[in-house]
Amino acid sequence: MSDAAPSTRRGRGARAGLDTEAIVAAARGLDPDELTMQEVATALGVDRKALNHHVTDRESLLELLAIDAVRARFDAVDLDLGESWQDACRAYAENMWHSLVDTGQWLAYFRFTSPSDLALALAGPAEVIAERMLAAGLDRVTVSRAMHLLVTICRGFAQDAVIGAREGGHPQIEALRATFAAERQGYPALRDLVDARVDDNGAAQFAFDLDAFIAAIERLAP
């Protein structure tokens, strides 16, 4: 018999005692820019291929971790959804915005690639919004599109806020400002807006976006 010490590395797939929750837990706190499947497998003490029974590749793992980060932040707040669909939309959207911004570098991987992602992360408050909109007389198509638009507003706003904070101003605006400075003529209205340096990534802008969203949906109500 060999005197070699037995390996501590476990087998593949279900035999390794893995599930998605264990994989996500092992990967929390790792830098998303440097994370590898091998790094997570090593932390779990399993063969790298064992992860593929639950997570197909690195991108899928990053998406799971992004959802996990957003859900943790979102669930940490005891939402007051008020009495109306308007109240619920505001509370939901404001918490989602802050949750997405707080995830920082994970935001780039927050994609909601399957319906189960949404159910795991944000379904409770979304159910309240849907119920109240339907009760207000809005039809199913309008409610579905309105809720999609609300999530799109939150995610797009959060992405711009994160980019702007990281780069000292949104690069598209800075590039436009530089172009106008080089040209020195034309587009007076746009020049005036750019030179005004309105904060388009702060709370006032987000409140404006929500007001516009709610006003538009109210016009569709019977």
Side-chain angles (χ1 to χ4, degrees):
M1 292 181 60
S2 171
D3 293 330
S7 172
T8 58
R9 186 174 295 278
R10 291 178 287 176
R12 298 180 179 179
R15 291 179 300 170
L18 287 181
D19 57 24
T20 301
E21 184 176 346
I23 294 171
V24 170
R28 286 192 190 111
L30 299 178
D31 185 338
D33 293 334
E34 300 178 2
L35 181 145
T36 65
M37 297 285 278
Q38 182 58 61
E39 183 179 15
V40 178
T42 299
L44 289 165
V46 300
D47 188 282
R48 185 185 64 79
K49 293 181 180 178
L51 272 61
N52 295 129
H53 288 264
H54 306 279
V55 181
T56 55
D57 53 27
R58 178 177 180 273
E59 286 298 308
S60 298
L61 177 57
L62 289 168
E63 289 178 16
L64 286 173
L65 289 165
I67 292 168
D68 179 70
V70 172
R71 182 176 58 186
R73 171 60 176 81
F74 195 91
D75 290 347
V77 176
D78 185 15
L79 283 185
D80 179 2
L81 297 176
E83 300 295 331
S84 66
W85 66 261
Q86 293 94 329
D87 293 337
C89 282
R90 289 186 185 279
Y92 175 86
E94 288 174 3
N95 195 29
M96 177 181 282
W97 163 42
H98 288 295
S99 298
L100 291 171
V101 170
D102 286 351
T103 63
Q105 57 187 338
W106 288 108
L107 181 56
Y109 305 100
F110 185 73
R111 295 168 185 149
F112 277 152
T113 54
S114 75
S116 62
D117 295 343
L118 179 59
L120 286 170
L122 313 169
E127 173 70 10
V128 173
I129 293 173
E131 288 178 346
R132 291 180 182 177
M133 282 187 165
L134 291 169
L138 292 161
D139 62 80
R140 286 178 293 176
V141 173
T142 299
V143 172
S144 178
R145 289 177 174 167
M147 294 181 68
H148 183 273
L149 175 58
L150 185 61
V151 172
T152 300
I153 290 170
C154 294
R155 182 178 175 187
F157 189 88
Q159 286 176 326
D160 282 348
V162 169
I163 291 172
R166 183 174 64 238
E167 302 190 17
H170 199 287
Q172 291 179 341
I173 299 299
E174 297 306 316
L176 185 60
R177 182 175 289 112
T179 299
F180 285 158
E183 292 295 331
R184 299 183 182 281
Q185 60 183 354
Y187 309 106
L190 288 177
R191 286 176 182 275
D192 184 56
L193 290 177
V194 170
D195 290 342
R197 295 184 177 272
V198 175
D199 180 9
D200 296 328
N201 297 319
Q205 178 65 48
F206 191 67
F208 179 91
D209 292 356
L210 283 181
D211 286 344
F213 166 81
I214 289 172
I217 304 305
E218 285 177 339
R219 289 179 62 86
L220 298 175

